[in-house]
């Protein structure tokens, strides 16, 4: 699946829900399903800078494809970072850098894009794009 | 006298709105309080009809604006019971006031000297002193707190020494609500001729402050936490100390004469008010002070204590909730955590229910480190809040627990 297809899939999953409560319950469920990262791997190198909850993102590669593991100490954030990882994992660095991410807005979670939510999506996406750049520069 | 809550709520336009489809419950008062209509109108009227630059204008508008601005200084003087009106310096806020003093102390502090703060301080009463110490070789000493969030006074007395050049502590803790025994601190410091600065940002919204009774050398506060505008604050300083400190910023208004060879500084309070001040902010602050004075700070304090007791009791009923900050003397602030639920998750869902609380470290990371927690959820009440709103918070928390359970 492409990044676009994975986004569309998420949008469809969320289209079942009518109100915010159901959406958040689903994000919480997604958060609980995220495998997470074991404590010994949670180093500062992988932390996504934010002031509210802590978020970690670890990259790995398989051929040209990049994969990401994610974790957070807050469940909602974990659900959100889980969605980001689901969309952007199994893609090439080039695809990641060129990706147009529209799923958050379509799902109706635009508030998480605001810069005041400093552990929000913007910094997670930025971190993943930085990893993609690092891959192209052969730094990972 | 009892508080007329219905009438008071009508004075605050912002309270009458829906957030996320629910009536707003505003419990983030320790971060900033809402503004009564008199304050909003005062600012609008100033800009609509009275605006002019103050102090040196010969024309009527300038003279009238100057008169209003200086009248506000007298209102603040009366409010804090300062001896002189020139002991009232208008600043941008508490942070600005503390920085003004910390900057001045760079010319006093020497290597081997100490500045004594506490573990309960807001970052704005930590960092300016770290900066002053860095520049002078002085050391920062910290009064520790106990599990209730109170200063360990025995430790304080041990830390106070001939090396201490200033004690800079908060009157009320923003993160935990502790009302600190500042009288004892001031008394002990004065017995060793050590001056004391109080960070009054969280005290002034909840209680009357009398700087002559307290006898502190400096007292800093913020207008926006006192139902006034943002960007305006007050630094009270004893006359001799304000004369002793060098100016903080150079510019217009703070000078007597300027030549390229030598500049003579103006007298107090103008020495510390460089540039065109926040005139509208000052007038708004005056209105805010007049407003709370008319209600009565005693009446406000009594009502808020009622809210605090009610809220504490309700939250204690919730299984798995833990309140941080259980001091005997507390302002109307409840910092808490729900077992196994990150404060950010709690705050996000409460927001969806129209309840505004603050989550995180509240700019007091050392306190969070002390308790070994990432942060708390903080509900802070003002006199326009009600028990019904606390019930909504209670219901909201039950819902949060259900969602994350």
């Amino acid at each position: 699946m492409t990044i676009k297809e994975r986004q569309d899939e998420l949008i469809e999953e969320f289209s079942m829900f009518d109100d915010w409560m159901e959406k958040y319950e689903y994000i919480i469920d997604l958060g609980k399903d995220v495998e997470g990262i074991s404590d010994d791997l949670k180093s500062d190198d992988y932390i996504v800078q934010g002031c509210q909850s802590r978020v970690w993102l670890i990259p790995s590669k398989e051929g040209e494809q990049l994969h990401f593991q994610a974790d957070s100490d807050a469940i909602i954030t974990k659900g959100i970072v889980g969605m980001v990882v689901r969309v952007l994992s199994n893609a090439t660095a080039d695809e990641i850098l060129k990706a147009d991410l529209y799923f958050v807005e379509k799902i109706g979670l635009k508030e998480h894009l605001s810069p005041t939510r400093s552990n929000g999506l913007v910094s997670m996406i930025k971190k993943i794009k930085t990893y993609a750049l690092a891959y192209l520069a052969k730094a990972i | 006298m009892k508080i007329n809550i219905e009438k008071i709520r009508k004075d605050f336009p912002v309270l009458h709105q829906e957030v996320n489809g629910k009536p707003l419950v505003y419990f983030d008062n320790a971060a900033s309080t809402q503004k009564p209509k008199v304050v909003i109108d005062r600012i609008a009227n100033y800009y609509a009809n009275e605006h002019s630059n103050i102090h040196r204008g010969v024309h009527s508008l300038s003279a009238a604006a100057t008169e209003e601005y200086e009248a506000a200084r007298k209102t603040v003087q009366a409010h804090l019971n300062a001896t002189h009106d020139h002991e009232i310096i208008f600043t941008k806020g508490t942070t600005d006031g503390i920085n003004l003093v910390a900057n001045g102390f760079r010319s006093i502090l020497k290597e081997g000297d100490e500045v004594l703060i506490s573990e309960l301080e807001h970052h704005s009463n930590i960092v300016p002193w770290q900066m002053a110490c860095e520049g002078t070789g002085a050391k920062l000493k910290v009064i520790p707190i106990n599990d209730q969030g109170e200063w360990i006074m025995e430790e304080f007395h041990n830390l106070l020494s001939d090396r201490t050049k200033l004690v800079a502590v908060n009157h009320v803790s923003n993160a935990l609500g502790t009302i600190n025994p500042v009288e004892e601190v001031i008394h002990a410091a004065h017995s060793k001729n050590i001056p004391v600065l109080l960070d009054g940002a969280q005290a002034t919204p909840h209680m009357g402050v009398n700087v002559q009774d307290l006898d502190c050398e400096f007292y800093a506060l913020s207008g926006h936490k006192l139902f006034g505008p943002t960007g305006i604050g007050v630094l009270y300083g004893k006359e001799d100390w304000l004369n002793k400190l060098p100016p903080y910023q150079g510019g217009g208004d703070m000078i007597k004469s300027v030549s390229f060879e030598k500049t003579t500084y103006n007298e107090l309070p103008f020495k510390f008010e460089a540039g065109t001040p926040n005139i509208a902010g000052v007038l708004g602050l005056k209105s805010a002070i007049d407003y709370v004075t008319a209600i009565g700070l005693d009446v406000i304090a009594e009502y808020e204590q009622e809210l605090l007791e009610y809220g504490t009791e309700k939250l204690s009923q919730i299984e798995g909730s833990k309140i941080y900050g259980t001091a005997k003397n507390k302002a109307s602030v409840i910092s808490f955590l729900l077992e196994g639920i990150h404060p950010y998750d709690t705050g996000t869902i409460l927001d969806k229910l129209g309840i505004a609380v603050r989550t995180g470290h509240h700019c007091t990371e050392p306190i969070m480190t002390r308790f070994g927690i990432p942060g708390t959820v903080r509900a802070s009440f003002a006199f326009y809040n009600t028990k019904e709103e606390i019930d909504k918070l209670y219901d909201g928390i039950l819902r949060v627990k259900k969602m994350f359970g």
Side-chain angles (χ1 to χ4, degrees):
Chain A
M1 268 203 286
T2 64
I3 289 175
K4 185 177 178 308
E5 283 164 347
R6 287 192 289 256
Q7 292 193 79
D8 293 341
E9 191 184 65
L10 262 174
I11 292 164
E12 205 185 313
E13 284 171 27
F14 272 87
S15 68
M16 293 186 279
F17 308 123
D18 299 325
D19 64 3
W20 69 268
M21 180 84 170
E22 290 177 345
K23 276 183 197 166
Y24 272 86
E25 275 173 346
Y26 190 59
I27 296 171
I28 292 164
D29 285 344
L30 289 176
K32 286 176 182 164
D33 288 345
V34 170
E35 205 177 306
I37 296 170
S38 63
D39 284 349
D40 55 319
L41 289 174
K42 285 178 180 167
S43 78
D44 284 354
D45 292 345
Y46 301 125
I47 211 155
V48 180
Q49 293 299 335
C51 74
Q52 291 261 317
S53 59
R54 290 189 297 169
V55 180
W56 295 267
L57 273 167
I58 301 184
S60 59
K61 57 181 176 180
E62 203 181 306
E64 287 197 350
Q65 303 259 302
L66 293 178
H67 303 273
F68 304 96
Q69 269 178 286
D71 207 347
S72 172
D73 49 6
I75 291 285
I76 292 174
T77 314
K78 200 168 165 182
I80 289 169
V81 77
M83 288 194 276
V84 173
V85 163
R86 182 169 145 193
V87 167
L88 292 175
S89 270
N90 301 311
T92 66
D94 203 41
E95 284 166 348
I96 291 169
L97 289 168
K98 283 184 183 147
D100 166 31
L101 296 171
Y102 51 83
F103 74 99
V104 183
E105 209 171 335
K106 291 260 170 152
I107 284 172
L109 295 171
K110 209 179 153 199
E111 68 217 44
H112 288 277
L113 284 172
S114 91
T116 52
R117 307 236 171 184
S118 46
N119 57 347
L121 277 153
V122 176
S123 2
M124 297 174 196
I125 293 165
K126 206 170 144 194
K127 183 92 175 166
I128 288 187
K129 292 206 171 185
T130 311
Y131 285 140
L133 281 172
Y135 173 82
L136 290 179
K138 301 200 191 308
I140 51 171
Chain B
M1 213 173 79
K2 262 240 172 289
I3 211 153
N4 184 345
I5 194 73
E6 263 171 56
K7 185 179 170 295
I8 280 171
R9 285 186 69 84
K10 279 189 192 137
D11 293 337
F12 290 83
V14 82
L15 298 177
H16 309 283
Q17 63 177 298
E18 291 198 341
V19 168
N20 293 318
K22 303 277 188 331
L24 168 67
V25 173
Y26 187 77
F27 282 163
D28 195 18
N29 294 290
S32 198
T33 53
Q34 299 299 347
K35 319 304 168 201
K37 197 159 179 301
V38 283
V39 170
I40 300 163
D41 290 348
R42 183 66 195 94
I43 296 165
N45 190 59
Y46 166 72
Y47 280 123
N49 302 306
E50 306 164 65
H51 173 68
S52 179
N53 210 337
I54 55 167
H55 288 146
R56 284 162 312 278
V58 290
H59 60 82
S60 303
L61 262 186
S62 174
T66 304
E67 212 166 287
E68 288 290 309
Y69 182 86
E70 291 304 328
R73 201 187 303 276
K74 289 210 183 305
T75 299
V76 177
Q77 178 202 350
H79 188 65
L80 296 177
N81 194 33
T83 313
H84 307 290
D85 62 353
H86 58 254
E87 292 176 321
I88 302 300
I89 312 293
F90 287 119
T91 62
K92 285 190 288 182
T94 305
T95 300
D96 193 34
I98 294 171
N99 275 280
L100 187 159
V101 179
N103 181 71
F105 263 78
R106 286 172 183 235
S107 63
I108 294 172
L109 295 171
K110 287 188 295 291
E111 204 168 335
D113 288 347
E114 291 172 1
V115 175
L116 185 52
I117 62 169
S118 90
E119 206 171 6
L120 272 187
E121 301 313 311
H122 189 282
H123 294 165
S124 61
N125 199 30
I126 301 174
V127 184
W129 302 113
Q130 282 176 328
M131 289 162 71
C133 286
E134 235 169 68
T136 56
K139 273 207 182 91
L140 203 61
K141 292 283 169 178
V142 184
I143 310 165
I145 54 171
N146 61 22
D147 290 343
Q148 287 70 49
E150 298 165 314
W151 292 336
I152 302 173
M153 291 309 282
E154 201 187 329
E155 297 277 353
F156 159 70
H157 290 287
N158 290 337
L159 284 165
L160 201 65
S161 78
D162 296 341
R163 293 182 298 277
T164 315
K165 288 295 171 292
L166 178 75
V167 179
V169 289
N170 61 22
H171 193 171
V172 170
S173 153
N174 73 307
L176 306 180
T178 315
I179 300 175
N180 292 307
V182 291
E183 295 82 0
E184 186 181 337
V185 164
I186 294 165
H187 185 75
H190 283 183
S191 71
K192 291 187 157 73
N193 290 319
I194 301 163
V196 177
L197 173 141
L198 294 182
D199 165 356
Q202 297 293 335
T204 37
H206 303 293
M207 60 181 80
V209 168
N210 185 328
V211 290
Q212 285 192 71
D213 278 359
L214 283 171
D215 203 25
C216 56
E217 277 63 34
F218 302 101
Y219 197 97
L221 64 98
S222 293
H224 74 98
K225 293 197 203 282
L226 189 53
F227 313 95
T230 56
I232 189 69
V234 170
L235 174 72
Y236 157 80
K238 279 185 185 170
E239 184 182 33
D240 58 334
W241 270 98
L242 289 177
N243 278 325
K244 210 182 290 183
L245 295 185
Y248 179 36
Q249 290 181 319
D253 229 17
M254 56 76 73
I255 48 91
K256 254 187 190 148
S257 69
V258 175
S259 72
F260 289 115
E261 289 71 38
K262 186 171 172 55
T263 290
T264 321
Y265 302 132
N266 207 338
E267 290 160 3
L268 294 174
F270 310 113
K271 173 179 146 186
F272 290 109
E273 291 180 3
T276 296
N278 182 355
I279 306 165
V282 166
L283 304 188
L285 175 60
K286 178 187 190 303
S287 293
I289 291 174
D290 289 342
Y291 179 81
V292 292
T293 308
I295 296 171
L297 280 153
D298 291 351
V299 176
I300 289 173
E302 194 185 323
Y303 177 67
E304 288 180 345
Q305 283 298 316
E306 222 177 279
L307 291 179
L308 174 67
E309 273 171 40
Y310 185 74
T312 306
E313 196 191 308
K314 288 293 276 191
L315 257 73
S316 307
Q317 286 168 16
I318 298 172
E319 209 191 312
S321 78
K322 183 173 179 195
I323 294 175
Y324 290 84
T326 48
K328 263 185 249 110
N329 287 319
K330 264 186 80 171
S332 48
V333 171
I334 303 178
S335 233
F336 67 96
L337 277 181
L338 302 172
E339 198 184 352
I341 305 174
H342 195 279
Y344 179 78
D345 287 330
T346 307
T348 304
I349 299 302
L350 289 177
D351 172 55
K352 285 283 165 195
L353 296 166
I355 303 167
V357 292
R358 186 141 293 234
T359 63
H361 56 56
H362 318 297
C363 291
T364 56
E365 282 191 55
I367 301 180
M368 303 304 140
T369 309
R370 160 71 174 72
F371 286 104
I373 51 177
T376 68
V377 181
R378 183 186 68 188
S380 48
F381 312 131
F383 58 83
Y384 43 65
N385 290 128
T386 65
K387 288 183 185 170
E388 289 71 34
E389 287 181 310
I390 293 174
D391 289 341
K392 284 186 187 167
L393 172 66
Y394 174 85
D395 293 341
I397 293 171
L398 293 186
R399 196 153 176 187
V400 168
K401 276 183 53 119
K402 215 170 141 196
M403 287 181 81
F404 293 96

